[in-house]
Amino acid sequence: MVAPMEQSIESFIRYLAVERGLSDNYQLSTQRSLNDFASWCAGKTRGQREKTAWQAVTLPMISEYLGEKKKAGLSAASIKLIVVALKIFFRFLAGKSEIKRDPTEALSLPRIERYLPETLNEIQVEQLLNGIDTKVPLGLRDRAMIELLYASGLRISELAGARLENFYPEEGTIRVIGKGNKTRIVPVGRKACEALACYLSTERPRLIKPRSGSEIFLSERGTKLTTARIWQIVKEKARHAGLEKNIYPHLLRHSFATHLLSNGADLRIIQEMLGHADISTTQVYTHVDQQRLKAVHRQFHPRA
């Protein structure tokens, strides 16, 4: 890849970090996509000119590149991420007058088949929570963690990063930092507040070490729990509760949203609590709820 192309990519990534405040993971993913495309462009034009600049990129070139990715077995979802990266990058270059025309203007996003999220029913959630032995070491912590995942619909990274100063037990709310470093305040249910109070008053003080931070959930070493460890804990507790279904932290987030919707919550409110930027992301839960209603109808209606 030639230096001018690298410089444009680095400038764009700085823009994503500083002005857009997007996450490190998003920056890395976008940078990998753009670097790969730039390398491909340099290879395609080798022998035709000494160097390739972004001005030379055309829509047919981009389409050819995406076609090769598809033939190589890349999923529609992964290709969509590349297309989004290219579109915002070229829009950025056009805005800075580094290119005369944005070659991605007519580029459409690939259609992705939407899969309905799995959920637990309310009985299964009760079975999971009641199956946690709070009398064993770290039992209070694990119960509080899983109660909070379900009560507030948190992402696993949000749970790992939840801090004491952002939990307001009197108000029954917690402030979390979600995707793109966006902050939101989410309600915490009564049972989750009770579980947190038990853990914070008795078990967490025993976990504190000199290097401990203010994260709510600590490991045995007094450090912040990793997302991988939280995943393991949820799996372990589901197995101990006798649940055969594949249980993972995000399943509790899906269940949180679906149960709110089925009990009459407004979709916009659910969107706000989940921290979804687009209502279309939240609308998938309406399809889940419709499927549940159809299943109930088939089971109980005499002429179903």
Side-chain angles (χ1 to χ4, degrees), residues 33 89 106 121 247:
S33 296
F89 176 62
N121 61 41
I247 311 293

Side-chain angles (χ1 to χ4, degrees), residues 266-301:
D266 181 82
L267 196 64
R268 289 283 179 186
I269 300 298
I270 298 172
Q271 176 194 1
E272 190 175 329
M273 286 193 279
L274 290 172
H276 285 163
D278 194 328
I279 190 68
S280 64
T281 310
T282 319
Q283 281 171 336
V284 69
Y285 295 108
T286 63
H287 300 303
V288 175
D289 195 45
Q290 286 165 12
Q291 282 205 333
R292 184 189 66 82
L293 290 174
K294 287 176 184 175
V296 170
H297 181 268
R298 280 195 299 269
Q299 183 176 357
F300 295 108
H301 195 280

Side-chain angles (χ1 to χ4, degrees), residues 77-216:
S78 297
I79 291 173
K80 181 178 180 180
L81 291 176
I82 295 171
V83 172
V84 169
L86 291 172
K87 285 178 82 71
I88 58 174
F89 176 62
F90 279 105
R91 193 180 306 140
F92 169 79
L93 293 182
K96 292 182 67 182
S97 299
E98 289 190 27
I99 56 175
K100 291 180 180 178
R101 186 176 178 183
D102 180 357
T104 66
E105 277 182 344
L107 187 64
S108 58
L109 296 176
R111 287 181 62 85
I112 298 175
E113 186 177 349
R114 300 196 74 172
Y115 295 96
L116 296 182
E118 290 185 294
T119 64
L120 295 172
N121 61 41
E122 293 175 36
I123 294 172
Q124 289 170 320
V125 172
E126 286 293 325
Q127 184 179 340
L128 171 62
L129 292 169
N130 293 336
I132 300 170
D133 187 353
T134 55
K135 293 183 173 60
V136 302
L138 302 178
L140 289 173
R141 180 200 68 183
D142 297 345
R143 173 69 183 250
M145 253 184 357
I146 296 176
E147 284 276 12
L148 186 56
L149 278 172
Y150 174 63
S152 302
L154 301 188
R155 299 179 178 96
I156 189 171
S157 58
E158 295 168 349
L159 183 82
R163 301 174 71 85
L164 290 170
E165 62 267 26
N166 293 333
F167 173 49
Y168 311 105
E170 301 84 6
E171 299 172 13
T173 60
I174 188 167
R175 183 189 297 271
V176 295
I177 300 173
K179 287 185 176 179
N181 289 324
K182 291 180 180 175
T183 302
R184 71 183 190 281
I185 296 177
V186 189
V188 180
R190 177 179 52 82
K191 290 185 179 179
C193 280
E194 290 171 358
L196 278 162
C198 289
Y199 160 66
L200 292 174
S201 63
T202 59
E203 200 165 69
R204 190 182 183 280
R206 296 198 294 268
L207 295 173
I208 295 173
K209 302 289 189 298
R211 58 178 178 172
S212 297
S214 67
E215 286 83 13
I216 293 176

